[in-house]
Amino acid sequence: PLPLIPQYRAAAIQYAPTLFEKEKNLLEQQEMVEEAARNEAKLIVMVEMATTAYCFYSRAEISPYVEPIPGPTTERFGEIASRYGCYLVVGMPEVDTETDIYYNSLALIGPSGMIGKYRKTHSYISENTWAKDGDLGLPVFSTEIGNLGGFICMDASFPETARLLALKGADVICFPT
């Protein structure tokens, strides 16, 4: 039998972030996320590396733009999630404050704040110059709109990624790319 999950509206934010313009990227996407939320989207998924754009060639080049999860960006989008009672998936470069290691990550934010994160497992192009492969496995988060899992871009090249999330009970797989 299929899992019983509530019906709701989902939105994918289609946006091409601009390198080195994090604040512009954040402001423009906040507007898009708010529009989706005003139109009753309960799950809103942003693109991979939504805050910064994608192709950085060194750790030094991306270092002004990484931040912890949770952190300023998740708090910013958390206000929208709280106001509209929705769930947001934000793709962003993360720094682990304990190890100073960088990751290409996604943050899952709900109406009550930060829910969890996933760190991309399969690197692509320039990521090896600045990011480490993820070390959190493939988490599935239980929410009122179902069990949510996620992976990022290149992870989809390996069918096992989605299969493992399904075996762990994911009702929906969020896919920032």
Side-chain angles (χ1 to χ4, degrees), residues 6 8-9 13 16 26 57-58 67 73 87 93 100 102 115 122 124 127 133 168 172:
Y8 56 86
R9 183 171 292 178
I13 302 299
L26 286 167
Y57 295 101
S58 70
E67 62 182 86
T73 293
Y87 294 81
D100 201 38
Y102 295 177
I115 296 173
H122 301 94
Y124 185 66
E127 285 171 333
D133 287 343
K168 289 181 162 190
V172 175

Side-chain angles (χ1 to χ4, degrees), residues 42-59:
K42 289 296 173 197
L43 175 61
I44 303 167
V45 180
M46 298 165 65
V47 298
E48 176 183 20
M49 298 285 284
T51 63
T52 60
Y54 183 73
C55 216
F56 289 89
Y57 295 101
S58 70
R59 184 177 162 92

Side-chain angles (χ1 to χ4, degrees), residues 6 8 29 46 49 51-53 70 73 75 78 93 95 97 126 137 140 143 165 168:
Y8 56 86
Q29 288 177 94
M46 298 165 65
M49 298 285 284
T51 63
T52 60
T73 293
E75 288 175 20
V95 60
T97 55
S126 68
V140 174
T143 74
L165 286 169
K168 289 181 162 190

Side-chain angles (χ1 to χ4, degrees), residues 119-131:
R119 294 171 171 162
K120 186 176 181 180
T121 304
H122 301 94
S123 295
Y124 185 66
I125 301 185
S126 68
E127 285 171 333
N128 290 323
T129 65
W130 65 267

Side-chain angles (χ1 to χ4, degrees), residues 53-119:
Y54 183 73
C55 216
F56 289 89
Y57 295 101
S58 70
R59 184 177 162 92
E61 190 176 47
I62 197 171
S63 67
Y65 308 104
V66 296
E67 62 182 86
I69 297 174
T73 293
T74 59
E75 288 175 20
R76 204 168 173 164
F77 284 101
E79 292 172 14
I80 297 170
S82 175
R83 190 172 333 124
Y84 292 97
C86 61
Y87 294 81
L88 307 175
V89 174
V90 182
M92 57 188 287
E94 175 198 7
V95 60
D96 183 314
T97 55
E98 292 181 20
T99 63
D100 201 38
I101 294 173
Y102 295 177
Y103 298 93
N104 179 344
S105 299
L106 69 77
L108 175 61
I109 307 160
S112 299
M114 230 353 254
I115 296 173
K117 64 185 170 185
Y118 164 74
R119 294 171 171 162

